[in-house]
Every structure is written in structure tokens, then in C-alpha cells.
Amino acid sequence: MCGIIGYAGHRPAVPLLIEGLRRLEYRGYDSAGVAYIEAGALRLLRAEGKLGELEKKINGRDVTMATTGIGHTRWATHGVPVERNAHPHKDNSGRLALIHNGIIENYQERKNELLELGYTFASETDTEVLVNLIAEGVKETGSILRAMSWAFARVEGAYAVALVSPDEPGVVYAARKSSPLVFGQGVGENFVASDIPAFLPYTREVAFLEDGELVRLDANSWQVFDAATLEPVDKPLHHITWDVQSAQKGGYKHFMLKEIFEQPRVVADCLAGRVDLRAGRVRLPELDGLEPPRRLTIVACGTSYHAGLWGAALIESWARIPVRVEIASEFRYRDLLLDGDDVVLAVSQSGETADTLAGMRRARELGARVLGLCNVVGSTVSREAERVVYTQAGPEISVASTKAMCSQLTVLYLLALYWGAAKGTLPAEVAARALTGVHGLPQVIEAELPRMRERACELARKYASVRSFMYLGRGQSFPLALEGALKLKEISYIHAEGYASGEMKHGPIALIEPDFPTFALALRDPLFPKVKSNLEEVQARDGRIVALTHPGLDLAVDDPWIIPEVWGPLNAFLALPCLQLFAYEMADYLGKDVDQPRNLAKSVTVE
């Protein structure tokens, strides 16, 4: 979640680094720092808190002569968020400065070895261990480049790092393993960052670094190496077409709200060129030439996992393909039974989800074909999958994912239609209804969003005092119940649990009371009578109910939330923004920082 930027060029580096870090603020952070080379010396400035605190330390200093440097925003995971733990970190000699995202899993072992060699440590971070390990590598190998390779061979875990030294005053070194890092080529200047917006005002020419690669850059040149062998690697440049404005709030109070209201456009963009109403079919050229899976496993985390659960039912119904949906953090450690007849679909908004990537790699080792479904062109998922279908949702800035799930539902819907048509299992009348319905869906969502927000505001004010919520749904509404509960606890910090409605009576019903309300998805479908019966059980225990429902349904609850009815599974696309808006308005009413994750200053885990 931390932000990284490195620069070598002709501009004053420190103001540029601060500007780049500000464009990465959406990642969430609790301290910040910069390191730069000035008059042959390595300078370090760090501060606890937001970038404004770092800028106060910079004010009054003449930093205009420095044209090389690195900057970092840190989200505390190992060591409390105080200045001594902020990045960059120096080695004991003061000749190296390093910034780092990720986890060095064997940091304690390496730290003990360095302590025996006489090294001392001023922080609790694994990053300070890594920079001193590189310093030891310089003694062993005689150069920074070889030292980084030497050190990386001795650490386990994930990292994206950038390093500067007055011994090579115009140079930045950077490397990655299981943590995103991109290079940007300018004119008389070069960049490296954890995300493209950090340097987008200066260049649109980028190269995506792969795991196990190391880049050396200065103002006029750059070279990528295999970090293990130091053999040069040829890297193509990609031209980025979107601009910084697409990552701004556009007049909305929070990025999250903006992205909820972008969902009609997201659906339209995802459908563009893929739905041929005249021919009555879906076009997915990304999958041309591939047979439909015999067995499909969807691997994902969090919101993407919920999207996979929703899509699995459609794929099984329309394409008659057996589908399992697996949480990636569990899947990767299982004794898996996969072979060449299996297809694994990795679903990830960013394309950089570590557990999902590990699951992909396990599946590939066992002979399964691996497909990707993600949002970010050039991401690791997109590069490592055999084929990839992009969701085309655009940059998602808010920490709480919203439009990404909407786009994932759209692609999964199209996949079910595409494979159903390819197998001949999809009835013509279902295909026609499905295509016509999804084609008109963006207009329906756009028309309803203002009314949805108004109702969400009313309900948030009524329920803002509660400390727990139960979310219930059946069938394809069950994954939405899980997602609604996730969003509420993620941004409002109100405890919430999502359950399949029929499971409520197997234990959770004991919790029902007036101060523990239920949010139910009670849409018109074959399971509505069952849902209604479940809600009567809640009412028998004096539980209050918010019910997302359709006009004309016989449902007597405390707070009905009536939304228009569309065709079949497309109702999920109207239910989803209601769940998101309710969570958003609850959080906003309670004064939460909606776009940032909760401050975890008291947690102490490996960084």
C-alpha cells in the first residue's frame, strides 16, 4: 500500500518527489520521507503523519540543487508509525538510502547475522535490515549493482525497492519481486514508481518491471537486468493514454463516491465492442481459439472473490461448466488436484494481488491453463496469464473497491454468455434477453443512482448508532450480502457479517435483537418466498430489517428500499451500488476518512 518514487534528471528532485508522492496519497500512509544527493552528500528528511509534515521540514532548506532522489509514503505494518521507522532508511555507513514496499520474511535471521558483524539498527523495520545487507554486499562484491543482486539472493519475501548513494550521485537503482514497480522514460530524465500517476505529468512512456528484475537509471540512460544473473534484459516501452485528471475527484466529496457514480460508464466501456446485438452474440477476441473449460476454478481475494461467487452461478447455468470459487490465500496452500483439463481464472482488480498471483503460479505448475481477469494493462496478472480479459474500469483510487466489482460482474456475465454460446448450452431466448438487457443497463443505473443515494442517506442517519449489522441473501444475492457486509466494516468500522439466508437459523439468529439490524436482499426471484420466511424469523426476535426489494412484492419490514426491477441476474447491478452507497453514507455520517484505510498504528507485524 506504500508509495514509491525515484527520479534522476535535470529538475530539482525534492519538489518533484513530493509532488509524485501526493499523487500516490490514495494508497494510504502514515509517514513520509525523501532522500537526495546534494553536493556529494546523502541527505534524508522524514516525518510522521501526512506529507504536509514532511514539507514543513523541507521549508527553509535549499534543496533546489539536488536532481536525484527517492521518496516514500509508508503504511505502518512493522513498527509503529514514528519518524525512526519512516522510509528512507540508511545503512550504518550513511552511504546508501533505501525505500521499500513489501515483506522480507526472513528479516530476523538476516538481522541476527548483521548484528554479529557489528551492525546496529535504529528502527524496527525489515527495510533497515535490507539496506545494511546491501551495504555488506558492497563490501563483498565491490559495486552497488552486484551488491543488490547478492542481497536479494539472501532474502525471502516480497519487495519493491529504490536506492540512491553519493558514490553514484546521479543514479537510482530499483528492483521488484511480487510488488509493483514501473519505470518511466522522459527526455533528459527518468523515473521509477510504484504506480504510473506518480510521474505521469512528465512522461507517458513506461516499462513494466517483472519479478526478479533490477533497473539502473540516470538522467540520460537506463538498463534493466536480471537481478539474479545481472544479464541485461530488453524491455519494451508502452504508451499510456489516460491522464492525471482521471484520478481526481471530479467534484465529488470522496473518490469512493465518484467511483460509485462512474459505474454506468464502467458497464458501457466494458461492453463496448463485445456485445453484438445484431448478430446476437458476445465477442471476446481475447479468448479466440480457446475451447471452453471442462472445469473452471475462479481464484480471487476480497471483493473479487465475491464477484467470482456471483459469476460462478451464471457460468454453471448458462455454459454448464462446473465451477469452484476459491479464496486465493487458501488455494495457494492447498494440496491441489489440477491437471490439463482444468482452467484457473484469476480475478484481480489491480493485477498485483500477491495471493492470487501465487495461486496462478501453483496452478500453472500443475498443468492447468491460467486465464486472467483484471483491470490494469501491464500488471503481473495480465503478463503471467495465458490470456487476459480486461475489465476496462479505469483507475480506481479509493481504497474500498466499488466500480471494480461492477466491471468484474460485467465480464463474468459476458464470459457465461460467450462460453454458453460456444458449447450450445445457452437457449436462444435467454441469450436474446441477456444481451438486450445488459445493453440498456448503463442508462438504468445512471437514472437510479441519485435516488439510491438519497435513500442511502436517509437510512444511514437512522442506523448510524448501531454497532453490528447482519447481511442476508440467497442464490446470486448471497455474494452481494457478503460484499455489503465487507463494505460496511471496511469503511465505517461497524461490525457486519454476511450470511446465506438459510444459514441464519444455524446459529447466527441467536444474535438478533433490536440493536442488531438486518440488511436483506429480497429481490424478485424464485427464492423470494424463502427469503421472506427467513425475515419473519428475524422479526420474531424483534430484529429491525432494511430490505432491498422490488415493487409489488409482499414484504412488510421496517425499512423497505425499493429499486426498479430489471431482467434476472442484471438486478445485481442495481443492488450493488445500493450496498456501496449505504456503506459510504454510514461512514461519511460518522466522519470516517472514506478514501483511506483505518489507522493501524498499534499493529505490529512484519512489513
Side-chain angles (χ1 to χ4, degrees):
M1 191 163 301
C2 309
I4 279 180
I5 182 170
Y7 175 75
H10 54 82
R11 306 176 198 268
V14 174
L16 185 147
L17 295 172
I18 296 296
E19 178 189 355
L21 292 176
R22 199 168 298 285
R23 283 190 293 274
L24 297 176
E25 282 188 299
Y26 65 88
R27 289 172 161 255
Y29 67 102
D30 48 43
S31 62
V34 294
Y36 55 98
I37 311 300
E38 182 182 59
L42 178 60
R43 312 290 185 191
L44 208 70
L45 291 171
R46 305 181 296 179
E48 178 184 345
K50 299 300 183 183
L51 281 170
E53 299 303 312
L54 179 60
E55 289 178 299
K56 289 177 185 177
K57 291 197 169 188
I58 294 171
N59 288 343
R61 295 174 181 262
D62 183 6
V63 296
T64 59
M65 299 303 293
T67 59
T68 302
I70 53 177
H72 189 269
T73 50
R74 174 180 185 256
W75 181 251
T77 54
H78 182 214
V80 295
V82 293
E83 184 175 324
R84 72 175 181 274
N85 290 326
H87 298 210
H89 288 283
K90 287 184 181 180
D91 75 304
N92 282 187
S93 74
R95 305 300 292 175
L96 303 175
L98 184 79
I99 54 180
H100 165 225
N101 294 346
I103 301 168
I104 303 302
E105 295 175 355
N106 62 337
Y107 82 101
Q108 191 62 56
E109 178 185 344
R110 294 292 168 251
K111 185 174 185 178
N112 293 340
E113 293 171 357
L114 292 169
L115 286 168
E116 291 181 3
L117 293 172
Y119 286 84
T120 60
F121 297 90
S123 76
E124 295 90 53
T125 69
D126 55 348
T127 305
E128 191 181 11
V129 174
L130 181 56
V131 72
N132 279 295
L133 188 64
I134 294 171
E136 183 65 17
V138 172
K139 296 178 185 177
E140 293 284 337
T141 68
S143 80
I144 293 174
L145 181 67
R146 290 194 293 272
M148 293 183 75
S149 175
W150 181 89
F152 294 149
R154 286 159 175 76
V155 296
E156 299 169 4
Y159 54 79
V161 301
L163 179 145
V164 291
S165 171
D167 297 330
E168 296 188 50
V171 176
V172 176
Y173 289 95
R176 68 159 282 179
K177 179 184 177 184
S178 301
S179 195
L181 203 64
V182 293
F183 165 81
Q185 177 182 275
V187 178
E189 56 188 354
N190 288 308
F191 308 79
V192 68
S194 50
D195 205 355
I196 293 168
F199 54 69
L200 196 56
Y202 304 101
T203 181
R204 294 175 179 275
E205 305 305 314
V206 307
F208 299 100
L209 299 181
E210 304 281 356
D211 280 358
E213 291 183 344
L214 188 160
V215 60
R216 180 191 187 277
L217 60 99
D218 58 31
N220 299 303
S221 65
W222 59 285
Q223 178 65 63
V224 177
F225 301 90
D226 181 298
T229 65
L230 295 183
E231 291 294 321
V233 177
D234 290 330
K235 298 296 292 185
L237 289 170
H238 302 266
H239 183 74
I240 300 301
T241 57
W242 50 271
D243 59 28
V244 175
Q245 295 300 315
S246 64
Q248 295 181 343
K249 294 182 183 177
Y252 291 93
K253 185 176 181 180
H254 296 99
F255 282 116
M256 182 178 177
L257 184 60
K258 173 177 178 283
E259 288 162 7
I260 291 171
F261 273 77
E262 286 177 345
Q263 289 176 113
R265 180 189 57 77
V266 165
V267 175
D269 288 349
C270 195
L271 296 175
R274 290 171 168 167
V275 172
D276 188 338
L277 284 180
R278 183 173 299 177
R281 68 189 185 98
V282 169
R283 301 179 187 274
L284 290 176
E286 305 96 322
L287 302 182
D288 283 352
L290 289 184
E291 293 294 321
R294 294 185 61 183
R295 295 186 299 267
L296 180 68
T297 301
I298 297 174
V299 177
C301 299
T303 290
S304 297
Y305 170 72
H306 300 157
L309 287 173
W310 182 88
L314 278 185
I315 293 170
E316 287 190 333
S317 177
W318 291 351
R320 311 307 296 168
I321 296 169
V323 184
R324 290 185 304 161
V325 186
E326 300 272 3
I327 298 171
S329 57
E330 293 294 319
F331 176 82
R332 64 182 292 191
Y333 297 114
R334 292 253 307 277
D335 186 7
L336 298 172
L337 300 175
L338 298 174
D339 58 32
D341 287 333
D342 289 282
V343 173
V344 169
L345 177 64
V347 183
S348 168
Q349 190 280 137
S350 66
E352 301 291 350
T353 311
D355 286 323
T356 304
L357 289 168
M360 291 172 63
R361 291 160 185 162
R362 282 285 319 279
R364 193 167 54 242
E365 288 170 1
L366 294 171
R369 288 161 46 198
V370 177
L371 307 179
L373 193 164
C374 75
N375 185 39
V376 181
V377 176
S379 64
T380 307
V381 165
S382 71
R383 296 195 301 274
E384 294 195 6
E386 179 182 340
R387 306 282 185 95
V388 60
V389 182
Y390 291 107
T391 58
Q392 302 176 164
E396 188 173 58
I397 306 303
S398 174
V399 168
S401 183
T402 53
K403 65 177 182 176
M405 183 173 183
C406 177
S407 66
Q408 290 166 352
L409 296 187
T410 307
V411 171
L412 290 164
Y413 183 94
L414 295 179
L415 278 173
L417 291 171
Y418 180 80
W419 282 330
K423 292 186 65 181
T425 56
L426 183 66
E429 62 275 14
V430 173
R433 287 291 302 276
L435 291 171
T436 303
V438 77
H439 185 263
L441 188 61
Q443 292 76 21
V444 178
I445 303 172
E446 187 164 19
E448 290 302 317
L449 275 168
R451 285 190 286 272
M452 290 176 180
R453 188 182 181 198
E454 183 179 346
R455 183 59 172 150
C457 287
E458 295 169 357
L459 294 170
R461 279 144 186 77
K462 182 172 181 178
Y463 288 94
S465 63
V466 305
R467 302 312 307 152
S468 290
F469 244 101
M470 178 94 75
Y471 281 72
L472 297 177
R474 278 185 180 262
Q476 284 195 289
S477 291
F478 169 49
L480 300 178
L482 295 176
E483 179 64 13
L486 174 62
K487 284 293 163 284
L488 188 66
K489 55 192 166 190
E490 184 178 14
I491 63 169
S492 72
Y493 318 139
I494 293 172
H495 170 253
E497 294 294 336
Y499 275 92
S501 300
E503 284 295 294
M504 180 192 58
K505 60 182 175 286
H506 298 295
I509 196 168
L511 299 173
I512 298 297
E513 59 181 23
D515 290 333
F516 187 8
T518 294
F519 194 119
L521 290 107
L523 306 178
R524 191 190 308 275
D525 63 25
L527 295 176
F528 173 75
K530 298 286 188 181
V531 174
K532 182 180 177 182
S533 176
N534 297 140
L535 297 185
E536 288 169 353
E537 293 175 320
V538 172
Q539 291 169 323
R541 287 155 178 80
D542 296 323
R544 291 184 290 169
I545 297 172
V546 177
L548 200 60
T549 189
H550 288 146
L553 287 177
D554 179 20
L555 191 66
V557 295
D558 300 87
D559 290 290
W561 186 346
I562 299 173
I563 59 173
E565 182 179 1
V566 291
W567 179 75
L570 295 177
N571 283 300
F573 290 85
L574 291 173
L576 182 61
C578 294
L579 297 167
Q580 296 164 346
L581 284 165
F582 179 69
Y584 169 81
E585 295 297 344
M586 288 280 277
D588 191 42
Y589 185 73
L590 293 169
K592 308 300 183 184
D593 189 355
V594 171
D595 284 330
Q596 301 293 343
R598 191 174 191 176
N599 191 327
L600 300 177
K602 294 183 180 179
S603 70
V604 182
T605 55
V606 177
E607 184 175 42

